[in-house]
Amino acid sequence: NIMRLCLLFFLVFLSCNKDPVMYDVSISATEGGIVTPQSGSFEEGSSITFTATPDAEYEFTKWSNGSTQNPLVIIITSDLTLQATFTKKQYELTISKEGEGTVSEKIINSGKGYDSGTKVELTAVPAGEWVFDVWSGDVNSADNPIQVTVSSPKNIKAKFVKLKYPLTINI
């Protein structure tokens, strides 16, 4: 009888289900991308892999916990708030010149530096006895000024030529 009672007690003890401990996880992202999985409740001790996926012309920078790993694996031990930070890709705009003169750059639309999508107006300003001729490289044009959208690295050259005067000889 005692053996049956012990066996019965043991089976009842094993059949008791304990509710798992659940924690709330709040996920967000700055402009320029998404994070999966999304916010929700997760069981304590579960291993969750968070993936930050940037939109076109953006790149993943870091997580709010300081990590730069992507994807990021976290063991859930408490409530968690996590944000992925994305930044616009940046490109070089290299301006060179041939001859005497300068090139002024003016940002047309908002954006810092040359973030992807920044529109820049370039004006060729000849010096003294020089005149603007053409733009070459990633832009081929005789227009002055020109507007360039920086959506990839660009190399643009302004060509200036010496001013020529007609020479008429009368005898």
Side-chain angles (χ1 to χ4, degrees):
N1 266 344
I2 293 211
M3 194 60 134
R4 282 187 188 173
L5 188 57
C6 285
L7 183 58
L8 181 61
F9 177 77
F10 182 73
L11 289 174
V12 169
F13 179 76
L14 284 180
S15 67
C16 289
N17 270 349
K18 190 173 148 184
D19 287 337
V21 176
M22 301 297 284
Y23 289 108
D24 291 329
V25 177
S26 177
I27 300 298
S28 63
T30 61
E31 179 184 0
I34 61 168
V35 177
T36 53
Q38 297 179 351
S39 300
S41 290
F42 296 90
E43 188 174 336
E44 180 179 37
S46 59
S47 175
I48 309 295
T49 301
F50 295 100
T51 303
T53 305
D55 295 338
E57 297 306 318
Y58 283 83
E59 56 193 5
F60 168 75
T61 306
K62 66 178 181 173
W63 298 100
S64 57
N65 67 359
S67 175
T68 57
Q69 293 182 346
N70 190 28
L72 175 67
V73 178
I74 292 184
I75 305 295
I76 304 300
T77 58
S78 64
D79 289 339
L80 174 68
T81 300
L82 189 64
Q83 182 179 53
T85 301
F86 298 93
T87 54
K88 273 227 175 187
K89 292 179 181 177
Q90 292 203 338
Y91 298 106
E92 291 283 325
L93 174 60
T94 305
I95 307 294
S96 60
K97 60 185 183 130
E98 177 183 327
E100 296 295 320
T102 59
V103 175
S104 68
E105 300 173 44
K106 176 175 127 185
I107 296 175
I108 302 300
N109 64 350
S110 62
K112 60 184 195 299
Y114 292 115
D115 288 348
S116 178
T118 299
K119 189 176 279 189
V120 180
E121 182 176 273
L122 302 177
T123 304
V125 182
E129 297 287 311
W130 294 79
V131 294
F132 170 73
D133 186 26
V134 294
W135 300 100
S136 62
D138 290 321
V139 173
N140 293 301
S141 175
D143 294 341
N144 190 28
I146 58 170
Q147 290 186 358
V148 178
T149 300
V150 183
S151 56
S152 63
K154 298 219 182 281
N155 287 294
I156 301 172
K157 183 178 193 176
K159 181 178 179 185
F160 299 94
V161 294
K162 195 79 162 142
L163 189 59
K164 296 180 182 176
Y165 295 100
L167 177 61
T168 306
I169 302 175
N170 291 326
I171 301 183

